[in-house]
Amino acid sequence: ELKVEQNPLFLSMQEGKNYTIYCNYSTTSDRLYWYRQDPGKSLESLFVLLSNGAVKQEGRLMASLDTKARLSTLHITAAVHDLSATYFCAVINTNAGKSTFGDGTTLTVKP
Amino acid sequence: DTEVTQTPKHLVMGMTNKKSLKCEQHMGHRAMYWYKQKAKKPPELMFVYSYEKLSINESVPSRFSPECPNSSLLNLHLHALQPEDSALYLCASSPYTGKGGGYTFGSGTRLTVV
């Protein structure tokens, strides 16, 4: 059974600081997603990582994938209040057509 | 059109009611999904239609019944639901369940069972 673990689950940080969210998964997979969810809203796709060593950046967010370590990271640079949300990673088992989400990291950025 | 459209946005139903949730996409995606999300929890996959072939999460009770009339439409029929079924129901689509392609999520239907 595929398991996805995110940490931390809750993150409170000050504006301007840097931090990293970690996503570990238990079995091999060829796709990993990062999503953002604002309270009461749907999921917004941030990144799709398709191969080992993949790195993608959008604004203050950068995601990377290490398939050998079964680890993905979401790095936040110089956080701003607008980044406050819950961030999920999700791993896809394409053979089974299944997706498994981590528990999410609730990020609060304070002035 | 790069959206997944879900209707209704909110639904309140009694335990003896029958209702349906609808999802539509016109991106040519051939895989569509239903997810259930409880408050402060990650989404849980309920059903997958890939090229109109159904895959089921076996833990989903039979009071939920999916239907895929064509590759652009996905319905979720609800019957005799329980209060614990109250949740946000999300539809998503992707180009295919193979390599590549990202998920696009709809805005969700907030379901309350009374």
Side-chain angles (χ1 to χ4, degrees), chain A residues 30-31 33 35 37 39-45 48 50 88 92-99 101-104, chain B residues 6 33 35 37 40-43 45 48 55 88 90 94 96-103 105-108 110:
Chain A
D30 52 6
R31 285 192 293 166
Y33 297 80
Y35 292 93
Q37 188 173 35
K41 303 292 186 181
S42 185
L43 280 80
E44 174 191 354
S45 180
V48 181
L50 298 176
F88 290 100
I92 306 298
N93 182 329
T94 54
N95 289 334
K98 294 182 179 179
S99 62
F101 281 75
D103 285 338
Chain B
Q6 286 187 245
Y33 312 81
Y35 283 85
Q37 187 179 27
K40 301 189 184 301
K41 295 292 186 182
L45 184 62
V48 180
S55 297
L88 179 67
L90 295 164
S94 69
Y96 35 70
T97 55
K99 287 186 180 291
Y103 281 18
F105 280 88
S107 58
R110 178 75 59 186

Side-chain angles (χ1 to χ4, degrees), chain A residues 27-65:
Chain A
T27 62
T28 57
S29 176
D30 52 6
R31 285 192 293 166
L32 187 136
Y33 297 80
W34 283 97
Y35 292 93
R36 168 182 172 146
Q37 188 173 35
D38 291 291
K41 303 292 186 181
S42 185
L43 280 80
E44 174 191 354
S45 180
L46 295 175
F47 303 106
V48 181
L49 302 169
L50 298 176
S51 60
N52 187 43
V55 177
K56 291 193 175 181
Q57 183 164 6
E58 181 74 32
R60 300 176 187 274
L61 301 178
M62 184 174 69
S64 66
L65 179 62

